[in-house]
């Protein structure tokens, strides 16, 4: 029933002065972090517009693959405000809600809720209505679960983000494991694609101060973490792996990022990226990519045991999650 109801909705941009008539009175803005995601940036933005997100700020970390050109083209025709800014060399500024990167955007648009995602993440929510899903939420921070899309021989790469049905039928890895670098380095047959990845957050910007590393946590003005509540009827489809070429590009970018900002990621922080950079330096990145790929027989087995589920089924389960 839920899937049928969801797929019946048209996912076209709507109401972007974002003072919604009737029940649509919640103003949702988003910051999209991106580095060289020319294949995914447009469908990511279109997916946000389709679920009712209004102002969007693209935080670009020196993309050189055409990503910027796509954002600038879309900004000239978007019914919702779409702007672009550059990743600050002062790393801390990118995390502060009141800092030079985020603050001008928040001050200009005064959103009720602020979402921070990456360009390889695609929002799916009940009835394609994110403002409606947030209308009765009183807490300051919600966590939105992310699920990896399995890497198949014919990987899913969306060409548009306008239609909910394109995402509701996607297979997601739900039988996840709590992996670590040491586990993956052992000959146990483990692979990263099955890892339990951290959720992303949506918050009330007037009640938070700064994001944590990876934008996976939020603190108040005293620097104390703000507990999040699991979101209801929302999820993020995560496309970490699509083609080997994109994977190599992302790992090379990670190497450059750590060269400039590595001191902000001590110890096991971003361990999977550090591991991939190390594998690339040892000439093993191609084998790592190939090891993540699943055949249809394996995916069918994982579906039989409940470790892979369709996005619409996962969304339906999330409706039983308590939020408030």
């Amino acid at each position: 029933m839920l899937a049928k109801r969801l797929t019946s909705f048209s996912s076209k941009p709507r109401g972007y002065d974002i003072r919604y008539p009737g029940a649509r009175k919640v103003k949702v803005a988003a910051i999209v972090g991106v580095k060289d995601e020319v294949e995914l940036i447009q469908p990511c933005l279109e997916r946000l517009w389709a679920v009712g997100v209004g102002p969007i700020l693209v935080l670009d970390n020196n993309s050189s693959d055409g990503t910027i050109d796509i954002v600038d083209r879309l900004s000239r025709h978007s019914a919702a405000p779409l702007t672009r800014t550059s990743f600050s060399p002062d790393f801390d500024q990118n995390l502060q809600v009141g800092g030079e990167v985020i603050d001008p955007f928040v001050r200009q648009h005064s959103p009720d809720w602020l979402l921070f995602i990456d360009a390889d993440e695609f929002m799916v929510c009940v009835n394609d209505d994110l403002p409606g899903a947030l209308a009765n939420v009183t807490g300051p921070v919600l966590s939105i679960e992310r699920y990896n899309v399995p890497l198949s021989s014919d990987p899913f790469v969306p060409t548009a983000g306008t239609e909910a049905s394109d995402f509701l039928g996607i297979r997601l890895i739900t039988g996840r494991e709590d992996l670590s670098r040491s586990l993956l380095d052992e000959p146990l047959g483990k692979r990263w694609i099955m890892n339990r990845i951290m959720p992303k957050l949506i918050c009330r910007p007037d009640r938070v101060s700064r994001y944590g590393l990876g934008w996976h946590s939020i603190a108040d003005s005293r620097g104390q973490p703000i507990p999040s509540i699991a979101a209801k009827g929302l999820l993020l489809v995560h496309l970490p792996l699509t083609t080997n070429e994109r994977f190599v590009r992302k790992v090379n970018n990670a190497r450059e990022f750590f060269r400039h900002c590595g001191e902000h990621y001590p110890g096991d922080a971003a361990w999977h990226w550090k591991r991939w950079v190390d594998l690339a330096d040892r000439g093993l990145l191609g084998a790592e990519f190939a090891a993540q790929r699943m055949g249809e027989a394996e995916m069918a087995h994982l579906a039989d045991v409940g470790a892979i589920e369709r996005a619409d089924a996962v969304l339906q389960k999330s409706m039983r999650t308590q939020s408030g």
Side-chain angles (χ1 to χ4, degrees):
M1 283 294 292
L2 177 65
K4 188 175 294 183
R5 184 166 67 251
L6 286 167
T7 54
S8 68
F9 275 75
S10 174
S11 301
K12 296 180 180 178
R14 48 192 175 184
Y16 292 112
D17 55 354
I18 314 221
R19 293 298 175 188
Y20 300 100
R24 294 179 65 84
K25 295 181 180 179
V26 175
K27 186 175 185 178
V28 185
I31 299 175
V32 178
V34 66
K35 169 71 172 181
D36 289 339
E37 290 283 19
V38 68
E39 301 95 338
L40 299 180
I41 185 62
Q42 181 164 338
C44 173
L45 296 175
E46 290 176 341
R47 187 89 286 268
L48 290 173
W49 289 326
V51 300
V53 173
I56 298 175
L57 175 66
V58 173
L59 175 54
D60 178 72
N61 191 5
N62 301 303
S63 293
S64 59
D65 68 340
T67 293
I68 291 175
D69 296 334
I70 292 174
V71 174
D72 290 348
R73 172 176 57 79
L74 291 174
S75 70
R76 293 191 292 269
H77 304 288
S78 169
L82 173 63
T83 54
R84 174 173 58 84
T85 192
S86 296
F87 198 87
S88 174
D90 181 352
F91 182 82
D92 195 58
Q93 287 296 318
N94 300 291
L95 304 177
Q96 295 181 22
V97 176
E100 64 184 28
V101 175
I102 300 175
D103 183 63
F105 175 72
V106 171
R107 285 182 176 273
Q108 179 181 359
H109 298 290
S110 300
D112 299 300
W113 289 92
L114 181 64
L115 170 69
F116 203 122
I117 66 172
D118 295 325
D120 61 358
E121 297 166 348
F122 301 86
M123 173 65 69
V124 178
C125 62
V126 171
N127 295 334
D128 260 8
D129 184 5
L130 182 56
L134 299 171
N136 298 316
V137 177
T138 57
V141 181
L142 294 182
S143 62
I144 306 174
E145 284 293 333
R146 296 187 300 156
Y147 297 91
N148 285 337
V149 176
L151 179 65
S152 66
S153 58
D154 183 22
F156 172 73
V157 182
T159 57
T162 53
E163 294 301 326
S165 57
D166 292 342
F167 295 87
L168 289 167
I170 291 176
R171 293 173 290 189
L172 303 177
I173 297 174
T174 53
R176 302 176 293 180
E177 303 178 73
D178 293 316
L179 298 174
S180 64
R181 181 168 184 170
S182 59
L183 277 175
L184 292 182
D185 286 341
E186 294 178 3
L188 300 175
K190 303 288 187 180
R191 50 187 169 187
W192 176 85
I193 195 71
M194 302 297 294
N195 187 38
R196 187 186 306 277
I197 56 177
M198 297 181 70
K200 284 294 178 71
L201 304 175
I202 185 166
C203 69
R204 294 185 179 275
D206 60 338
R207 295 168 64 178
V208 305
S209 179
R210 61 175 288 120
Y211 289 90
L213 292 180
W215 294 270
H216 295 300
S217 62
I218 290 184
D220 60 22
S221 59
R222 299 169 298 169
Q224 297 300 309
I226 301 176
S228 62
I229 299 171
K232 182 178 179 180
L234 310 175
L235 65 84
L236 286 168
V237 172
H238 184 220
L239 269 180
L241 303 173
T242 52
T243 65
N244 186 65
E245 292 76 15
R246 175 172 168 255
F247 184 48
V248 170
R249 185 174 73 226
K250 287 166 67 73
V251 173
N252 286 338
N253 286 339
R255 180 189 292 105
E256 185 69 14
F257 178 82
F258 288 132
R259 183 176 295 126
H260 296 286
C261 302
E263 70 273 16
H264 298 285
Y265 289 80
D268 288 336
W271 62 265
H272 62 293
W273 286 109
K274 294 174 182 177
R275 176 175 176 270
W276 284 337
V277 168
D278 181 57
L279 289 174
D281 291 342
R282 292 158 54 196
L284 300 175
L285 197 59
E288 171 72 4
F289 181 81
Q292 310 305 312
R293 184 175 284 119
M294 297 181 182
E296 287 299 323
E298 180 184 3
M299 286 194 285
H301 168 71
L302 291 174
D304 287 341
V305 299
I308 285 181
E309 300 176 71
R310 279 174 47 118
D312 50 6
V314 180
L315 191 65
Q316 187 170 25
K317 288 181 180 179
S318 80
M319 290 295 294
R320 296 192 290 269
T321 301
Q322 296 300 312
S323 65

